[in-house]
Structures are given as C-alpha cells and as structure tokens.
Amino acid sequence: HDALPILERMERITDKQRRYIFVLVRNYADLTKYTPEEAREILTIIYCHQNSVPSFSLSDCSQERASDFIEFILKYTEEWGK
C-alpha cells in the first residue's frame, strides 16, 4: 500500500507538460485577445465538453490527461487559425 502514492506521483503531470500547456495557452490568448487565465479556462471547458470528462487542474492531473489536453490545444488552435 506504500506504492500507491509513489505510483500516483509518477503518473502525475510533469513540469515540462505543464510549461508546454502554459506556452500553448499564451499563444491562444495572443490570437484571441483573451487573458491567459481566460484562454486556459475556455480551452479547458471546450476540452472537457468534447471529451465528456470532468474539469481538471493542471496542478495534479495525470500525464495522460495532460498529453490529451496538449494534443487538443494544438488541433484546436490550428483549426481556429484557419
């Protein structure tokens, strides 16, 4: 039972993922003229709605969720920019 917290920490979002998400969010904010906070909230709401998942925090979400969110932001902003 001591392994569970270690496993959870290992699977938690990495600092590199978090920083990348914030860069992507800032880019979207620059495109849309939203503040970075508004942009992150908007992107999170759209992502959660499209994927039927509950809202999540970038402070402790899983690496898998972070990867999915990164892919979503890249695709979404690419479509938005067209």
Side-chain angles (χ1 to χ4, degrees):
H1 57 315
D2 283 329
L4 187 60
I6 293 168
L7 188 61
E8 286 175 359
R9 279 196 302 274
M10 286 173 45
E11 294 175 351
R12 197 163 287 160
I13 184 173
T14 64
D15 286 338
K16 188 175 181 181
Q17 285 176 309
R18 192 178 295 109
R19 283 192 303 269
Y20 189 40
I21 288 170
F22 282 123
V23 166
L24 294 174
V25 165
R26 272 195 302 276
N27 289 345
Y28 178 72
D30 289 345
L31 278 174
T32 59
K33 306 304 181 211
Y34 287 115
T35 66
E37 294 78 23
E38 290 169 333
R40 184 181 53 75
E41 190 172 328
I42 289 165
L43 290 167
T44 302
I45 289 168
I46 295 168
Y47 169 83
C48 290
H49 178 74
Q50 287 184 0
N51 293 282
S52 301
V53 296
S55 190
F56 60 95
S57 168
L58 293 177
S59 63
D60 64 355
C61 70
S62 69
Q63 288 182 28
E64 184 178 359
R65 171 77 69 231
S67 291
D68 287 348
F69 191 48
I70 288 167
E71 283 182 40
F72 163 79
I73 295 171
L74 289 169
K75 287 179 187 165
Y76 187 80
T77 54
E78 181 182 310
E79 290 298 313
W80 199 90
K82 288 183 178 175

